[in-house]
Structure formats: C-alpha cells, structure tokens
Amino acid sequence: MFIHHGLLPYQDPYLARFETWVDDKLRDLSEEVAKPVAQFATWHHLRRIRSMTTPEKSAQAPVHSAKQKITETIKFLDWLWETHQRTAANCTQQDIETWLATGPTTRKAVRTFIVFIKNTGTNHRVDMGHYTAKTRPAITQDQRVAWLRELLTGTSESLTYRVAGILLLLYAQPLVRVAKLRTDAIETNESTGNMWITFGPHPVPIPEPFADLLREHLKGRPNLRTGSDAQSPWLFPGTRAGQPLHPNGIMDRLRSLGIDLRGARNTALDEHLLVSPPPLVADALGYSHQIAFLHADAAGDAWSRYVNLRTKP
C-alpha cells in the first residue's frame, strides 16, 4: 500500500521473493551442484529479470519460469553428480540424452542451462534442441460454444470470472494477459453503444451479449476499496492496493468449473485462424505472427488457399 501511494520506492514483490528463494535453494546443495546453479541463477535469470521489471511490467511470469528451470537444473546436476560423479563442466551429450529419455517432459526445462554453460564456455561439448510437444490440447467447437453460453447466461460463477472466461474463450487470450488488462483497453461509442477492446495494434469489436455483460462488470468492479481508489486502472482490480487479480486465482476458478484452459485457448485461436489470415489474427489478438502461423499449421489450414477464396462470389 505504501509503494502504491508513493511513500516507499517501487520494489517488485515477485523479484524480492525470488532472490530469497534462490538463497534458500542453494543453502543445502553440494559445492559441485551449488556453484553452477548460483552462476546460472545470478548471471542469467536474476540479471535478466532485474533489467526487464518495471512498475508497469511485473516479474511474476519470468520469475515463475525461472523457478521451474532452476529446479529442473538442480535435479539434473544432483543426478549427474550422484550417478556419474560428473559436473556441468565435464558432463557429456550422452548424460543429457539419458536424463531426458528416462523422466517426465518437465526435464526439457534444463535446455536453458545447457545453452548457458555452452555460451559461457563452461562446456562446449553439449547441446540440446528445442522441445516439441507430441500432443496439443484442444476442446471441440461445440464444447467451446457451450462454455460461452454458460458464462454468458449461467450463474455458476461470479460476474468477474465469467467475463475473464469469455475473454479466454472468445478472443483466445491467455489468462496471464487477461489479469493485466486495463479499463482503457475498452472503448465505447456513446452514440451507438458499440464497444471495442484492444489486445494488439488495433481494437476489435465486442459482440452482444458479451458487451452488455462487460458494461455490467465495469459499473461494479470488485475490490475498489483495497487501499487504492475507485479510479483503479485495472479491468480486474485485486485485493492488494494498486494490483490486479492474480492470474492463478482466475485460473483456479475457471478450472473448478471444468474448463480446459489450454484446450479452450487453442480451439478459440484455431477458429479465428480458419476464417482469417494469420497476420490479421495476430494483430487483432495480440499474438506474434510466428505464433499465429504455427497455430494455423496445427489447425490444418495455413491459408494456402487465401487468394483463391477471395476470388469466389
């Protein structure tokens, strides 16, 4: 609250907790494991996160990713030392292949560490390519429409989480991004009542009846008495002063309804890509063109027929 009102200088809480977390992780490790992990955490993750964190850009997502990668790196180096008495400096390509082949797919997170020790000259003899998922979660279009109907008209969840879920199902928005939306992302034409929302370079229309639901949410946003004020810029104000709702809280509420979050996002994006070229979808929904083309390929239509379609009556 003091930071929000300018009485204390800005400090990202996720970054501060991450620094403590790294110290705790290193405390009980053997020297053979602790030294390369400390270098990896400090010179790759901490330096990068500190440089990119601002009052407008939280460290939450990069800290979460860094914790996963550091945890998997510790597991790999522990196994390497206990099984083969080797360290990061003298591990072999066979060690990496064996580690990846004998465990869960979460082990792919060691790739960042492998690239780090190669680029820093610790070990030039190892390499690891990008991981490609064997499966891609998705729901059917009928399931997507059924969930949209439930969130638009049902009473299974409060208005705030219904609006967040519709942004996922209708516009393929990741819930991390949904939580960070501001009210100024929404525009209203007072004369016609038409509404638009901006995810990328250009605003996109908000159809009825979702527009009515969104108007209702804007009139009664929750958590406006949490030490901030009624002019909170967040579309989904959180319980902490000046902060939006935590995305994990939104995810938990929607998962409890039975929504497959990744599957819903993939299907929503696929449906947009089936009717519009990837660059247009990317600009409208705030995705990179590369990601849009990858999803178009996965959806089974890379828009190779785009010109032909335009010539039809």
Side-chain angles (χ1 to χ4, degrees):
M1 189 182 294
F2 286 169
I3 291 172
H4 173 65
H5 290 286
L7 300 176
L8 287 176
Y10 176 74
Q11 182 184 39
D12 190 287
Y14 297 100
L15 176 56
R17 294 186 198 120
F18 179 56
E19 292 170 342
T20 303
W21 180 88
V22 170
D23 291 338
D24 290 341
K25 278 285 187 181
L26 294 174
R27 188 172 296 119
D28 297 326
L29 299 178
S30 63
E31 182 180 353
E32 293 80 7
V33 174
K35 184 176 179 180
V37 171
Q39 293 172 341
F40 180 49
T42 302
W43 299 111
H44 178 77
H45 289 295
L46 270 172
R47 184 174 64 174
R48 183 176 60 89
I49 294 171
R50 284 169 180 158
S51 68
M52 64 189 295
T53 302
T54 66
E56 291 75 31
K57 189 172 183 180
S58 168
Q60 178 191 352
V63 161
H64 178 71
S65 174
K67 283 183 175 181
Q68 289 181 316
K69 293 172 181 177
I70 291 171
T71 298
E72 291 301 321
T73 296
I74 291 173
K75 292 178 183 178
F76 169 63
L77 293 176
D78 271 337
W79 169 83
L80 189 65
W81 179 250
E82 292 174 5
T83 306
H84 302 291
Q85 288 71 55
R86 286 196 282 271
T87 65
N90 60 11
C91 75
T92 67
Q93 188 67 35
Q94 184 61 40
D95 293 332
I96 297 172
E97 301 297 337
T98 302
W99 170 256
L100 295 174
T102 56
T105 57
T106 52
R107 291 185 175 184
K108 69 182 185 296
V110 300
R111 180 182 184 275
T112 304
F113 176 72
I114 301 304
V115 173
F116 174 77
I117 62 175
K118 186 173 182 178
N119 290 344
T120 55
T122 303
N123 190 332
H124 287 296
R125 301 179 302 279
V126 291
D127 196 12
M128 182 175 168
H130 287 282
Y131 172 79
T132 302
K134 296 180 181 178
T135 60
R136 181 174 178 270
I139 62 176
T140 66
Q141 175 64 355
D142 287 344
Q143 289 173 320
R144 175 177 172 245
V145 171
W147 277 119
L148 280 169
R149 183 181 298 112
E150 169 61 29
L151 295 180
L152 284 166
T153 62
T155 57
S156 55
E157 203 25 286
S158 64
L159 179 61
T160 296
Y161 298 100
R162 288 164 60 198
V163 169
I166 293 170
L167 290 168
L168 164 73
L169 288 157
L170 190 61
Y171 297 107
Q173 293 301 297
L175 291 177
V176 171
R177 191 188 299 170
V178 167
K180 291 287 186 179
L181 283 172
R182 295 173 175 263
T183 55
D184 58 12
I186 299 170
E187 304 173 32
T188 303
N189 185 316
E190 298 298 338
S191 60
T192 64
N194 293 333
M195 298 179 73
W196 295 267
I197 188 166
T198 301
F199 304 114
H202 312 293
V204 294
I206 302 173
E208 300 290 355
F210 180 41
D212 279 339
L213 208 66
L214 194 52
R215 290 188 195 98
E216 184 181 348
H217 170 71
L218 288 169
K219 289 178 182 176
R221 286 179 297 156
N223 302 322
L224 292 181
R225 298 181 181 180
T226 55
S228 27
D229 52 53
Q231 304 303 317
S232 171
W234 303 111
L235 183 59
F236 302 102
T239 56
R240 291 185 145 201
Q243 297 296 311
L245 280 178
H246 198 290
N248 288 355
I250 301 176
M251 292 177 193
D252 290 342
R253 295 289 283 265
L254 295 179
R255 282 196 189 105
S256 69
L257 295 178
I259 301 176
D260 179 347
L261 304 183
R262 288 183 61 200
R265 182 168 62 90
N266 285 339
T267 298
L269 189 53
D270 290 351
E271 290 299 318
H272 286 291
L273 288 164
L274 289 174
V275 296
S276 298
L280 296 185
V281 173
D283 290 345
L285 302 184
Y287 284 88
S288 70
H289 288 196
Q290 180 184 13
I291 292 296
F293 275 105
L294 288 173
H295 276 270
D297 288 338
D301 192 336
W303 273 87
S304 59
R305 304 190 307 273
Y306 178 46
V307 174
N308 291 334
L309 286 172
R310 291 182 60 188
T311 63
K312 293 181 180 180

